[in-house]
Amino acid sequence: MDFGLVLQTDPPASRVVDLMRRAEGAGFRYGWTFDSAVLWQEPFVILSRVLDHTERLIVGPMVTNAATRTWEVTASTFATLNDMYGNRTVCGIGRGDSAQRVAGRRPTTLARLGEAITAIRDLAEGREAEVDGRTLRIPWVRDGRLPVWTAAYGPKALALTGERADGFILQLADPFLTEWMVKAVRKAAEEAGRDPSSVTICVAAPAYVGDDPAHARDQCRWFGGMVGNHVADLVSRYGEHSGLVPEALTSYIKAREGYDYRHHGRAGNPSADFVPDEIVDRFCLLGPVEAHVEKLRALRDLGVDQFALYAMHDAKERTIDAYGERVIPELEDPRPSG
């Protein structure tokens, strides 16, 4: 199993760089950042500095979207970083939640997202792609490589991921839901004539190492609120009892009363007050190191290739170091980085 660190790009940017360097030293192979232009600083500028101050770390957004930048701009940005630092990027992409809604726009359609997955990858790897009815190619790309991983929850998004994406990002760490969604992605890949095992599976969730469960839950409750935005979309589209989405995912948002993006992804988010302790425990990794290792082993047995650790809490360094010293050695992938 690989490990990634996920951070918001809050100022100062030097803090993000320092934490990414710390993570690489602890054995993390991936460094991820949020991408929402109004809420945080521009991630690709900071990721360039992260690449410059690390040796092996693979970096990317968790997640960008198909709307706030044109596809050729996104592809050229990745291709430039890859040319400078040796193909050390990965493109996490989704429909766009905070990035779009904060600006007063709706997330993109799945059809548009599917087209973007193919176009961005082709352009970043030097091939022709169709962008808004026009054939484009970036002529200076040489030997570029850009895996595109899609964030998804609902049945149509999971199917799209299996059909087109190189990886699947699942933003929660509940084993039951992980098993259900991984099976859906792999079934779609097989039906599309692809090798299901070729789709990398990444579970992303907060991890908090400590012995005070109540405090850990309070520090990570924001995550249930963030996931709840996507769940609310699914309920409005499919209904709570449709059978197309597990009720283990949808039932907890009954008490949700809206969402204020000013507190998005932050400990103490008042918009996450509706999230019960049971959901925090299911979606996150909390408690002593032994509890983390046990849950990660269960996820690995379900086919998870990477655990990406959200560190939006008051124990960033302690959790990174604990993972480096005691968790990663138990579960790390022995393959060399790159």
Side-chain angles (χ1 to χ4, degrees):
M1 179 179 273
D2 285 333
F3 289 83
L5 178 68
V6 190
L7 298 173
Q8 294 165 336
T9 51
D10 287 316
S14 58
R15 169 76 166 149
V16 177
V17 176
D18 289 345
L19 287 169
M20 291 294 189
R21 293 180 63 191
R22 190 184 195 108
E24 182 181 58
F28 289 74
R29 293 186 67 231
Y30 286 76
W32 302 91
T33 65
F34 280 29
D35 179 11
S36 191
V38 174
L39 297 177
W40 298 287
Q41 292 185 328
E42 170 56 39
F44 289 105
V45 174
I46 298 171
L47 288 175
S48 179
R49 191 159 180 84
V50 170
L51 287 166
D52 195 50
H53 283 70
T54 56
E55 297 178 1
R56 300 170 303 280
L57 205 68
I58 299 167
V59 306
M62 188 174 282
V63 293
T64 193
N65 63 84
T68 54
R69 302 176 186 86
T70 60
W71 303 347
E72 72 274 14
V73 169
T74 298
S76 182
T77 301
F78 278 109
T80 301
L81 293 174
N82 282 335
D83 185 66
M84 293 171 67
Y85 298 104
N87 287 332
R88 288 169 55 199
T89 68
V90 56
C91 176
I93 193 168
R95 293 177 58 226
D97 177 37
S98 64
Q100 285 288 88
R101 288 188 164 117
V102 166
R105 299 185 292 262
R106 293 178 59 83
T108 60
T109 64
L110 286 175
R112 184 79 173 160
L113 174 60
E115 293 171 358
I117 290 169
T118 301
I120 291 169
R121 179 172 52 215
D122 284 348
L123 288 170
E125 294 183 349
R127 297 184 294 276
E128 288 187 348
E130 185 171 306
V131 179
D132 296 327
R134 190 179 188 89
T135 300
L136 301 177
R137 186 175 73 85
I138 302 176
W140 50 262
V141 174
R142 298 288 184 274
D143 302 318
R145 179 172 55 83
L146 182 65
V148 179
W149 297 6
T150 306
Y153 293 105
K156 292 182 180 179
L158 294 170
L160 175 66
T161 301
E163 291 163 2
R164 296 203 184 192
D166 302 296
F168 166 42
I169 297 172
L170 174 57
Q171 291 167 307
L172 53 80
D174 174 72
F176 171 79
L177 292 171
T178 298
E179 182 176 19
W180 191 91
M181 294 187 185
V182 168
K183 284 181 178 178
V185 168
R186 288 187 167 155
K187 179 183 178 183
E190 186 173 11
E191 290 176 348
R194 305 179 66 199
D195 177 2
S197 65
S198 68
V199 182
T200 302
I201 308 297
C202 174
V203 160
Y208 192 104
V209 175
D211 296 321
D212 184 343
H215 180 72
R217 290 186 189 110
D218 287 344
Q219 286 291 302
C220 298
R221 198 175 307 276
W222 63 266
F223 184 66
M226 185 182 83
V227 173
N229 295 330
H230 304 284
V231 175
D233 281 348
L234 294 177
V235 170
S236 67
R237 186 174 299 117
Y238 300 106
E240 185 180 340
H241 306 292
S242 66
L244 297 173
V245 182
E247 291 188 32
L249 177 62
T250 61
S251 61
Y252 85 96
I253 67 163
K254 291 178 180 177
R256 182 178 182 270
E257 297 180 350
Y259 193 83
D260 185 344
Y261 280 92
R262 291 177 298 175
H263 310 287
H264 189 57
R266 300 191 184 281
N269 182 348
S271 297
D273 288 350
F274 71 94
V275 180
D277 289 350
E278 182 246 344
I279 287 293
V280 183
D281 291 343
R282 280 174 45 202
F283 285 10
C284 305
L285 282 83
L286 313 175
V289 163
E290 293 77 13
H292 292 245
V293 171
E294 180 181 6
K295 191 166 188 177
L296 287 167
R297 281 179 174 154
L299 292 169
R300 184 181 62 181
D301 290 345
L302 294 173
V304 174
D305 300 296
Q306 179 183 155
F307 174 62
L309 184 164
Y310 282 100
M312 290 78 170
H313 50 57
D314 63 4
K316 294 179 178 66
E317 287 88 352
R318 184 174 74 224
T319 298
I320 292 169
D321 294 347
Y323 265 66
E325 293 165 8
R326 300 180 59 193
V327 178
I328 293 176
E330 293 286 337
L331 293 139
E332 67 182 338
D333 190 326
R335 295 172 301 175
S337 300

